[in-house]
Amino acid sequence: MTKMLATSEQQAIAKAFLAARSAKTPLTDYPGAMPQALDEAYAIQDSAIALDGRSIGGWKVGRIADDLVARYGGNRIAGPIFTDEIIDAADGDVPAMPVYGAGFAAAEAEVLLRFGDVDTRDYDIVSIRDAIAEVRTGIEIASSPFPGINQHGPAVTASDYGNNKGLVLGPPIAGWRDADLIAMPVEFRIDGERIGAATMEAMLDGPFGSALFLTRVLRARGIAIAPGTWVSAGAITGVHEIRPGQSAEALFDGKIRVSCTITG
């Protein structure tokens, strides 16, 4: 991937998404020419980040479907998670997480990695663990004012903050350096009904692979990773659409719970 400066049209798309997010109004149509490549999507995303002005406390990583990997030249995308939309619920709190009720909204069970110091080395899937300070359970809130955000390919998804609207930090995973995270069972419930169950075996090279991907894609974009930055490593049980008024709960290893309610 090469870093691309936003064109005037791409800047206009970024402004339209920011305006819709700020006003909490839906976008019936994509506000411009849809990006066809990830460098175009990240140009829009970078422009929106600069215009937004809020501090970034983490990044979400999402998977690109296998049949689209060749076209887009990779298997993951990234989007910013702003500090003011990261809620710590490690003590069992059940925060209310807002979504765009007339747009797209979903919740996902995810493993969350917190970066320590990220140096300039060329990390691999083993050494990236040296850059991780903590691993937690959590729920990513995916939401966009554009209802079709996930229907037009990963570049469109990436262009609007990767379809992120917040992050719930659940309890930590004790002994994560020695734990078999890949085999850990994870369940997801909406309004108490189990709608998804899986392990991380289907997550490409797992959560540490997501962290490795993120270091590389952010370096290519000239974005530094500050200590304390979170990585929401990817949906484990699926992308579960959700509506205001509903509740979500993720259960990790049969004993670690993290929950939230959804507001409009």
Side-chain angles (χ1 to χ4, degrees):
M1 190 196 80
T2 56
K3 181 175 174 61
M4 189 176 148
L5 295 177
T7 64
S8 58
E9 182 179 15
Q10 289 166 340
Q11 291 174 353
I13 292 170
K15 290 176 181 177
F17 271 116
L18 281 177
R21 282 178 172 256
S22 177
K24 301 178 178 61
T25 55
L27 287 169
T28 305
D29 299 307
Y30 192 85
M34 292 184 179
Q36 300 300 308
L38 290 181
D39 55 358
E40 298 172 12
Y42 290 135
I44 296 168
Q45 189 186 112
D46 288 343
S47 180
I49 289 170
L51 291 166
D52 192 307
R54 288 179 293 167
S55 67
I56 294 173
W59 294 84
K60 64 83 55 80
V61 175
R63 182 173 181 173
I64 294 176
D66 291 342
D67 61 338
L68 296 176
V69 168
R71 174 181 171 184
Y72 288 94
N75 55 20
R76 288 179 167 105
I77 61 168
I81 309 174
F82 293 97
T83 302
D84 64 350
E85 294 181 333
I86 299 176
I87 308 300
D88 196 330
D91 293 333
D93 293 340
V94 182
M97 302 297 290
V99 299
Y100 301 104
F104 176 89
E108 307 165 14
E110 307 213 3
V111 164
L112 316 178
L113 313 179
R114 182 173 63 83
F115 277 115
D117 291 322
V118 181
D119 57 37
T120 58
R121 83 178 88 169
D122 184 14
Y123 287 102
D124 59 26
I125 193 63
V126 175
S127 62
I128 193 62
R129 290 170 175 258
D130 297 339
I132 303 301
E134 183 182 15
V135 176
R136 288 207 202 181
T137 57
I139 296 175
E140 187 210 344
I141 304 301
S143 191
S144 168
F146 177 44
I149 189 70
N150 283 350
Q151 298 173 8
H152 303 280
V156 168
T157 303
S159 70
D160 183 30
Y161 291 159
N163 192 18
N164 178 265
K165 188 64 178 72
L167 189 65
V168 181
L169 305 178
I173 298 175
W176 62 267
R177 291 189 184 277
D178 300 314
D180 185 3
L181 295 182
I182 296 296
M184 179 182 291
V186 181
E187 298 179 10
F188 199 79
R189 295 181 173 90
I190 291 180
D191 289 344
E193 178 183 356
R194 192 175 85 159
I195 60 170
T199 67
M200 286 170 263
E201 291 175 323
M203 287 180 58
L204 301 173
D205 46 5
F208 296 103
S210 292
L212 178 61
F213 156 80
L214 190 64
T215 62
R216 291 172 174 172
V217 75
L218 292 185
R219 280 177 180 171
R221 292 165 62 185
I223 299 173
I225 300 175
T229 298
W230 289 99
V231 185
S232 195
I236 301 169
T237 64
V239 178
H240 306 296
E241 292 195 34
I242 200 164
R243 301 185 305 276
Q246 293 187 305
S247 63
E249 180 186 69
L251 178 66
F252 293 79
D253 204 22
K255 59 191 176 186
I256 308 173
R257 298 178 187 274
V258 54
S259 305
C260 67
T261 59
I262 303 299
T263 63

